[in-house]
Amino acid sequence: GAVVSQHPSWVICKSGTSVKIECRSLDFQATTMFWYRQFPKQSLMLMATSNEGSKATYEQGVEKDKFLINHASLTLSTLTVTSAHPEDSSFYICSATRQPYEAFFGQGTRLTVV
Amino acid sequence: GESVGLHLPTLSVQEGDNSIINCAYSNSASDYFIWYKQESGKGPQFIIDIRSNMDKRQGQRVTVLLNKTVKHLSLQIAATQPGDSAVYFCAENWNNDMRFGAGTRLTVKP
């Protein structure tokens, strides 16, 4: 099956700093990637849809200036949590879609802001 | 800090029994549905999918049933094993937009 690599798998950062999370599709081109956030014991919440070469589409309530998404190539999307605060601590997961419908998930990133 | 949210529904079954996990979806226009398994600290893993023109699909030890009338999806796991313990999510797809259901935690007792 297709592989999506997400890096880092976990990160601890100080409050006020920024953290970048990478999502790569290793063996296919993904025109669309999705970023999800997951709180403990809850479902995955779609944050934004990332389209190669264009601006990301953010879900209602997600601050685009807080969560910067860049989809510079067909195999790489990045999520940058800017000026992170403890309430941003969460599990972030990306997925990449191989047309028409197949979605493959990264391993997830556990972000802890102290 | 972390949000305080609803706890996931839980299902506890005896090893060897069959499990049925249910899911209600929201968009009647959704045309593709997937069940995922998520183990602690990992991303979701694909289990089985079904398109809206079908009402049943079988895999190895798993069966997905789709009832479009009531927007309901179920996952049946035959002869449940300890390795099946995880959180299971359904997802609906419409226009390349995937949304997840609430999830159910399955615990298999030996």
Side-chain angles (χ1 to χ4, degrees):
Chain A
V3 178
V4 172
S5 176
Q6 186 173 339
H7 178 81
S9 56
W10 61 271
V11 57
I12 301 173
C13 70
K14 290 185 178 180
S15 187
T17 62
S18 295
V19 174
K20 180 186 284 187
I21 303 169
E22 293 187 348
C23 181
R24 294 181 183 271
S25 56
L26 298 184
D27 52 359
F28 68 99
Q29 293 184 330
T31 54
T32 305
M33 291 187 174
F34 301 89
W35 287 96
Y36 296 87
R37 182 174 181 176
Q38 187 178 32
F39 291 105
K41 300 184 179 181
Q42 293 190 37
S43 187
L44 287 79
M45 180 186 71
L46 180 64
M47 298 174 65
T49 302
S50 169
N51 296 297
E52 186 268 338
S54 65
K55 290 183 179 180
T57 303
Y58 289 82
E59 295 299 302
Q60 192 172 12
V62 178
E63 299 174 61
K64 61 180 180 182
D65 295 329
K66 173 76 170 176
F67 300 99
L68 299 179
I69 291 173
N70 184 287
H71 195 154
S73 76
L74 287 171
T75 59
L76 173 64
S77 177
T78 61
L79 168 68
T80 302
V81 183
T82 62
S83 187
H85 291 284
E87 58 265 29
D88 298 323
S89 298
S90 192
F91 193 58
Y92 294 87
I93 304 173
C94 71
S95 76
T97 301
R98 183 170 68 183
Q99 294 301 328
Y101 286 126
E102 294 178 288
F104 300 91
F105 287 84
Q107 304 94 318
T109 299
R110 169 71 60 193
L111 171 63
T112 302
V113 185
V114 297
Chain B
E2 296 173 329
S3 285
V4 175
L6 296 173
H7 287 280
L8 292 171
T10 58
L11 174 66
S12 183
V13 300
Q14 206 70 39
E15 181 178 357
D17 288 351
N18 298 332
S19 303
I20 299 177
I21 300 171
N22 297 304
C23 176
Y25 64 93
S26 59
N27 189 349
S28 57
S30 293
D31 56 0
Y32 178 59
F33 305 87
I34 314 105
W35 277 100
Y36 289 96
K37 174 184 180 182
Q38 187 180 27
E39 297 175 39
S40 181
K42 298 181 180 178
Q45 296 171 275
F46 173 92
I47 300 174
I48 191 169
D49 60 357
I50 188 169
R51 301 199 184 282
S52 59
N53 61 352
M54 304 170 67
D55 52 21
K56 180 179 180 179
R57 188 158 188 237
Q58 287 184 293
Q60 188 177 21
R61 277 203 310 121
V62 294
T63 301
V64 55
L65 299 177
L66 174 63
N67 185 331
K68 294 184 289 293
T69 304
V70 294
K71 293 190 286 187
H72 183 268
L73 201 63
S74 69
L75 176 70
Q76 300 178 2
I77 304 174
T80 314
Q81 302 169 359
D84 296 327
S85 293
V87 176
Y88 291 81
F89 295 102
C90 69
E92 57 181 311
N93 187 299
W94 178 76
N95 200 28
N96 205 29
D97 184 355
M98 185 182 295
R99 305 284 168 146
F100 285 82
T104 297
R105 178 175 299 282
L106 174 66
T107 301
V108 182
K109 295 177 288 187

